[in-house]
Amino acid sequence: MRTDMSIEEQLAHLKRGVVDLIREEDLRRKLERSRATGRPLRVKLGADPTAPDLHLGHTVVLRKLRQFQQLGHTVIFLIGDFTGMIGDPTGRSVTRPPLSRQEIEANAETYKRQVFKILDPERTVIEFNSRWLGTLRSEEWIRLTAKVTVAQILEREDFQKRLREGSPISLHELLYPVAQAYDSVMLQADVELGGTDQKFNLLVGRDLQREFGQEPQVVMTVPLLVGTDGVQKMSKSYGNSIGITEPPEEMYGKIMSISDEVMWTYYELLTDVPAEELARWRAAAEAGRVNPRDVKAHLARRLVAEFHSEEAARRAEEEFTRIFRERGLPSEMPIFHLPASVGERLELARLLVQSGLAPSVREARRLIEQGGVHVDGERIADPRAHIVVRPEFVLQVGKRRFLRIRSRETTDPMSA
RNA sequence: GCAGGGGUGGCAGAGCGGCCAAAUGCACCGGGCUGUAAACCCGGCGGGCGUCACGCCCUUCGGAGGUUCGAAUCCUUCCCCCUGCACCA
């Protein structure tokens, strides 16, 4: 596809948005050799099998992989079904319950479907590390772990930190980097990618490959995308993620909810908008010549289009504008069939609970008191208000939760 | 094994006999403002009830007992977690 690029051009292209590149010289040599021999590079990315829902954070590194593919190289998407049992000690993750073979298969399928929204299936190999790690005998484990020293492993910053703080480190956690490194050996990886938090693990791969007489892999790390909260890295467990399979409206809205500041990072990491152009937009926004909201809307639309379609993006935008800028009603909303007849008097708070818009009467009353509840567009502020049931009406809580209520007569006139 | 430190709301983390449904921060929710589900500001954040801007009740601080008019706070016991020193003489 872009194999006409010179090696230097390729390097520059691949370096874009990369935090660590260890070592650039090695990569250049590998690229040159690949061109000379016609043998594609083997570019590895490891993934945990436990969370198969990809979010935008994952796509940063996937986009980088795609660049390699576009240059004709092979991507090895490694599903860590064995290492998943250990759980990468990065972060606070607790011991994970082992997944069944079936669950893993199912997750892998989900992965494939999602990953191929970005990667080219023709140039992607899917692997499972249980294939070699799962069959290692105890003796082999001992021989393997003998190749790495404790000091090497404890260099890892978070291990040191935990040691300092007196936090626990389980023995098996020390094995994680070794296992991951062994994957690189088995796969004979030329390059391994990961987020910056993976740097250490990726480097162990180099060491171990050397131990096994292989040429060390090139390590490439990309920044971690910050989540919608603008603070922590995007992660499903932090509840700040934007999944790539989320409905268009949801995705659009979530992108609109990131801060103006974070938006620039998203542009950088999730689009191909040239840096110079971004700088121009930013200057214009800061000077007040351009409304940052519009820049953000452009981003939202662009990303929704990438993962859904232009058409879906357009609709999501219209919907967003209608609800939030014009304070209107969504084009579609869930319907709740109220088991009550026209004319009946109902306490609003209870109706909210009954219809699932509030978890408890107390909460419902709070919402009403705070002015968050509208019935057919009219704000009801009396926490003890009653309403007279109409054939159909719209309940709204907050800015974005709508429910169309239908009472008995309208849904089933025969049953009266 | 020994010594020590712990287990409190979604998370982090105060409180250590009554003023504790439990500080504070984060997350979350509602409102205001707006240019957006941005930023910022304000409010809320266990549940039920009432003649409802004030009050009542119920269930919460690892489990179970107990002391006390009264316990997240004290005692007993059990469970769990962590750190250090050992164990291998």
Side-chain angles (χ1 to χ4, degrees):
Chain A
M1 185 171 176
R2 294 192 199 161
T3 39
D4 56 314
M5 289 168 95
S6 76
I7 296 294
E8 286 312 311
E9 282 170 336
Q10 291 189 8
L11 256 181
H13 182 54
L14 292 171
K15 271 167 70 179
R16 211 190 119 156
V18 164
V19 178
D20 301 290
L21 175 54
I22 304 160
R23 310 168 23 200
E24 188 174 335
E25 259 324 296
D26 293 356
L27 180 59
R28 179 179 287 112
R29 198 167 349 102
K30 280 172 187 280
L31 288 171
E32 280 166 355
R33 191 173 52 216
S34 167
R35 165 162 289 184
T37 61
R39 191 186 72 90
L41 295 180
R42 296 166 64 79
V43 186
K44 171 195 173 200
L45 175 73
D48 208 277
T50 46
D53 275 329
L54 294 194
H55 54 61
L56 292 182
H58 297 117
T59 68
V60 177
V61 75
L62 291 174
R63 291 171 58 86
K64 185 53 72 182
L65 286 173
R66 179 168 62 188
Q67 291 180 353
F68 274 99
Q69 290 186 324
Q70 288 167 341
L71 293 170
H73 302 293
T74 303
V75 163
I76 304 169
F77 189 78
L78 176 68
I79 295 176
D81 59 339
F82 186 86
T83 37
M85 279 169 28
I86 306 177
D88 188 353
T90 309
R92 73 200 66 220
S93 63
V94 202
T95 315
R96 300 194 170 107
L99 298 172
S100 72
R101 193 67 237 164
Q102 224 173 9
E103 289 171 303
I104 289 167
E105 297 288 347
N107 287 352
E109 276 311 308
T110 317
Y111 252 134
K112 277 190 221 170
R113 210 169 46 244
Q114 297 184 34
V115 156
F116 290 151
K117 277 175 182 268
I118 296 172
L119 295 182
D120 173 5
E122 295 298 309
R123 294 189 180 279
T124 305
V125 177
I126 308 268
E127 273 284 9
F128 296 85
N129 64 6
S130 63
R131 194 159 71 77
W132 48 88
L133 289 175
T135 54
L136 270 195
R137 288 176 294 122
S138 319
E139 301 94 285
E140 292 172 313
W141 265 108
I142 289 169
R143 224 171 294 136
L144 173 59
T145 49
K147 291 188 187 295
V148 185
T149 68
V150 173
Q152 265 177 305
I153 300 298
L154 288 183
E155 264 178 47
R156 202 167 114 160
E157 200 188 319
D158 61 335
F159 283 145
Q160 288 203 5
K161 180 159 167 274
R162 284 159 73 180
L163 224 42
R164 253 199 322 276
E165 287 174 351
S167 304
I169 302 173
S170 294
L171 193 56
H172 76 290
E173 294 181 89
L174 302 179
L175 257 35
Y176 192 94
V178 182
Q180 183 172 337
Y182 190 58
D183 292 341
S184 292
V185 171
M186 292 306 286
L187 294 171
Q188 305 192 15
D190 289 302
V191 183
E192 181 166 8
L193 268 73
T196 48
D197 59 339
Q198 286 295 311
K199 183 174 174 182
F200 178 88
N201 293 349
L202 305 187
L203 286 171
V204 178
R206 284 174 66 88
D207 292 337
L208 206 59
Q209 282 177 312
R210 247 188 238 114
E211 283 288 329
F212 278 88
Q214 291 181 16
E215 187 177 293
Q217 63 186 5
V218 167
V219 164
M220 208 180 234
T221 66
V222 295
L224 298 179
L225 188 70
V226 67
T228 52
D229 56 12
V231 183
Q232 284 179 292
K233 67 170 183 180
M234 185 174 285
S235 156
K236 204 178 170 194
S237 51
Y238 292 153
N240 64 0
S241 67
I242 304 175
I244 65 169
T245 55
E246 288 189 46
E249 293 76 24
E250 200 61 20
M251 194 184 247
Y252 190 96
K254 282 190 179 181
I255 293 165
M256 289 307 281
S257 83
I258 62 173
S259 73
D260 292 354
E261 192 51 41
V262 166
M263 155 176 89
W264 301 112
T265 312
Y266 275 41
Y267 261 113
E268 242 174 86
L269 299 178
L270 301 174
T271 73
D272 293 319
V273 177
E276 315 80 61
E277 191 158 350
L278 269 186
R280 265 201 307 281
W281 290 358
R282 188 165 188 158
E286 275 161 11
R289 293 195 305 276
V290 169
N291 188 333
R293 195 210 69 219
D294 296 330
V295 184
K296 205 186 292 177
H298 176 75
L299 173 70
R301 191 159 166 173
R302 196 179 175 121
L303 291 175
V304 173
E306 183 175 350
F307 294 104
H308 293 280
S309 68
E310 288 289 347
E311 174 57 17
R314 198 184 51 72
R315 275 202 311 270
E317 182 158 78
E318 276 173 13
E319 193 81 351
F320 186 87
T321 304
R322 181 161 49 233
I323 296 171
F324 297 105
R325 290 175 74 180
E326 295 161 7
R327 287 291 154 93
L329 296 176
S331 55
E332 278 175 41
M333 50 186 123
I335 293 168
F336 178 74
H337 295 283
L338 183 66
S341 312
V342 174
E344 262 182 67
R345 264 171 59 85
L346 287 180
E347 190 176 344
L348 180 57
R350 277 166 214 294
L351 176 58
L352 290 174
V353 175
Q354 199 181 358
S355 59
L357 286 170
S360 69
V361 176
R362 249 183 135 81
E363 172 75 10
R365 287 185 178 165
R366 257 180 242 127
L367 287 168
I368 298 170
E369 247 165 340
Q370 295 183 131
V373 177
H374 295 253
V375 177
D376 271 344
E378 185 196 346
R379 172 176 288 172
I380 309 285
D382 176 6
R384 281 164 305 282
H386 284 66
I387 58 159
V388 176
V389 175
R390 280 164 264 178
E392 183 171 307
F393 56 101
V394 173
L395 262 186
Q396 180 183 357
V397 173
K399 291 186 188 106
R400 42 189 295 244
R401 281 145 72 207
F402 300 86
L403 198 58
R404 191 180 293 284
I405 309 285
R406 285 198 183 135
S407 56
R408 208 179 270 152
E409 263 68 356
T410 51
T411 56
D412 185 7
M414 307 313 284
S415 76

